[in-house]
Amino acid sequence: MKKLQLTTKIFIGLILGIIIGLLLQGNPQIAATYISPFGTLFLNMIKMIIVPLVFSSLIVGAASVGDPKSLGRIGGKTIAYFLVTTAFAVVIGLILGFVLQPGSGLSIPVDVSQEAAEVPSIVKTLLDIIPANPLKGLVDGNILQVIAFALFLGVSCTLIPQEKSAPFIKFFDSLAEVMYKVTAIVMSFAPIGVFALIVPVVSNHGLDVLKPLSILIFAVYLGCILHALITYSTAVKIFANMSPMTFFKGIAPAAITAFSTSSSSGTLPITISCSKENLGVTDKIASFVLPLGATINMDGTALYQGVCALFIAQVYGIELTIAQIFIIILTATLGSIGTAGVPGAGLIMLTLVLQSVGLPLEGLVLVAGVDRILDMARTCVNVVGDASCAVLVTATEKELVEEEAKSKN
Ligand code: ASP
């Protein structure tokens, strides 16, 4: 028999968990005593990954941007566009999460011991982002501080001579690779983890769990379509005077590949060829913007994290404050820089968003069972977003070059 794909196994874990959960409906204590510990084990393994994974991959991501001085205008535009559209995507995700309320049909009381302590104000949150003691930030798993410190390190690498920064980057690149492997190993336990975590939920709540999951899928797909139609159509029309139809038609082969592979890195060669051949992106811009985009620009992933964070908050009956919403936008936007363009990476990074605002990681399980379906849509948006940036940068650079030529004549 052909080896089953991990996603299929996770899905089977979810279905089996639902069935066993239904069978145990009268006796939830059996699930709590004998099955739940495996779920806790799985969650602990995920928690174990977060800090080293985020730290190393963000340093490498930020360092891969290259020397800001030599990148100049193109680099500046690219990074600005990536950050603005990603933040926009999270906001769309959050709005849909509020409007569609995917998690409101299911209510799982949160374990009081896990509830986030007092929620700090926005000013305190902002001040706290810069760690007075970065090692303490790492040890405490304070995600915003970890992100901030990693970005400082990564960006600084681009400002010193290459021979000095190379060993440092190489070390963290190697750590990141090792952490991807650790993640893969941990994820290979996901079918059991998902099974063990869903059984107690279903034994307590019955089939009520299915409806929220369908609304979640609907919300993510709707968000992806809206983001593409609103953000990218506007960007290519306004900045490149390109009809959105032409843009979407030109990038369609890459979008379809992304949809079916769930990997923006894997889709990169096709994104490059579509952008150059169908959308008039120049060689120079394609070879800078698109690989960088496949590494650090993940609009679809950020949007998905916005929807999922609200979904999980709703399921656990946690009201998010404005400061927490703000943190979600910040962590999802910055966290997307460290998300690898491979299947399922966004799910791991979702733990970062949840952790940053003290939402229960258990909520991941509900999402994990349907994650591949969500991954297809978000990867598609990730890739289309990269291409829209390349189109925009090509057009605005061309204008500048023409203007410069005119003013010389
Ligand atoms: N699969 C996505 C990508 O490759 C990343 C993610 O899991 O969100 O772009």
Side-chain angles (χ1 to χ4, degrees):
M1 201 176 78
K2 228 177 115 208
K3 248 182 110 199
L4 283 180
Q5 274 205 340
L6 179 62
T7 349
T8 319
K9 289 187 196 158
I10 297 179
F11 191 68
I12 294 174
L14 179 76
I15 302 292
L16 270 182
I18 293 176
I19 296 171
I20 304 284
L22 285 175
L23 292 176
L24 290 177
Q25 239 183 336
N27 311 293
Q29 74 287 358
I30 299 185
T33 319
Y34 298 104
I35 299 180
S36 228
F38 292 99
T40 310
L41 193 66
F42 177 62
L43 285 180
N44 283 351
M45 288 199 288
I46 289 194
K47 288 181 194 162
M48 169 183 87
I49 307 172
I50 302 176
V51 170
L53 177 70
V54 171
F55 191 58
S56 55
S57 61
L58 263 186
I59 290 178
V60 178
S64 71
V65 169
D67 177 2
K69 272 175 279 163
S70 70
L71 286 181
R73 223 169 40 203
I74 296 182
K77 269 186 221 172
T78 306
I79 308 268
Y81 181 80
F82 283 168
L83 288 177
V84 171
T85 50
T86 307
F88 220 79
V90 197
V91 173
I92 292 185
L94 287 169
I95 292 175
L96 285 176
F98 272 120
V99 175
L100 297 175
Q101 297 276 320
S104 62
L106 178 68
S107 136
I108 304 177
V110 72
D111 181 349
V112 186
S113 62
Q114 288 191 1
E115 224 167 336
E118 225 180 284
V119 181
S121 69
I122 294 190
V123 177
K124 180 153 180 1
T125 309
L126 280 177
L127 290 180
D128 276 352
I129 293 177
I130 305 299
N133 177 351
L135 293 185
K136 185 164 181 298
L138 284 168
V139 171
D140 292 344
N142 182 324
I143 286 303
L144 279 178
Q145 296 190 347
V146 172
I147 292 178
F149 188 48
L151 288 179
F152 266 111
L153 292 174
V155 171
S156 301
C157 284
T158 67
L159 300 172
I160 60 173
Q162 218 194 349
E163 71 270 14
K164 299 263 189 228
S165 62
F168 181 85
I169 299 174
K170 222 169 156 195
F171 171 78
F172 282 102
D173 192 28
S174 160
L175 178 60
E177 279 302 322
V178 173
M179 287 315 300
Y180 291 143
K181 191 72 216 169
V182 177
T183 308
I185 295 172
V186 170
M187 286 311 286
S188 68
F189 291 102
I192 302 173
V194 167
F195 170 82
L197 287 159
I198 201 79
V199 170
V201 176
V202 177
S203 68
N204 276 316
H205 302 275
L207 279 181
D208 287 354
V209 288
L210 292 184
K211 198 167 145 227
L213 285 182
S214 353
I215 306 179
L216 175 71
I217 296 173
F218 174 70
V220 171
Y221 272 70
L222 182 64
C224 287
I225 293 171
L226 287 178
H227 186 58
L229 289 184
I230 299 172
T231 317
Y232 303 147
S233 296
T234 317
V236 295
K237 185 74 207 151
I238 292 185
F239 293 102
N241 199 18
M242 181 184 280
S243 109
M245 258 321 255
T246 314
F247 172 69
F248 289 120
K249 232 166 120 186
I251 198 61
I256 295 167
T257 312
F259 190 79
S260 49
T261 59
S262 290
S263 167
S264 34
S265 296
T267 309
L268 184 58
I270 302 178
T271 319
I272 294 179
S273 80
C274 287
S275 303
K276 288 205 294 205
E277 279 155 34
N278 307 342
L279 302 173
V281 173
T282 61
D283 265 351
K284 180 179 160 207
I285 291 171
S287 60
F288 169 70
V289 173
L290 297 171
L292 186 63
T295 320
I296 70 169
N297 183 42
M298 308 268 167
D299 292 4
T301 303
L303 187 147
Y304 144 92
Q305 291 175 338
V307 180
C308 289
L310 277 188
F311 168 74
I312 291 169
Q314 288 154 4
V315 167
Y316 287 90
I318 298 170
E319 288 270 345
L320 293 173
T321 62
I322 301 283
Q324 283 174 308
I325 302 273
F326 177 75
I327 297 178
I328 292 176
I329 298 176
L330 206 62
T331 18
T333 306
L334 296 178
S336 69
I337 297 175
T339 309
V342 296
L347 181 70
I348 301 289
M349 284 311 205
L350 179 59
T351 54
L352 173 112
V353 175
L354 299 182
Q355 181 129 324
S356 70
V357 285
L359 286 172
L361 290 188
E362 280 78 355
L364 271 190
V365 174
L366 297 167
V367 178
V370 292
D371 192 61
R372 181 60 182 232
I373 303 172
L374 305 177
D375 203 357
M376 293 158 76
R378 66 185 190 246
T379 309
C380 192
V381 171
N382 290 346
V383 165
V384 176
D386 299 341
S388 75
C389 180
V391 167
L392 177 142
V393 174
T394 302
T396 53
E397 281 299 301
K398 208 154 104 204
E399 256 169 42
L400 281 174
V401 172
E402 280 166 5
E403 262 169 37
E404 273 165 20
K406 252 191 229 156
S407 64
K408 266 189 204 147
N409 288 336

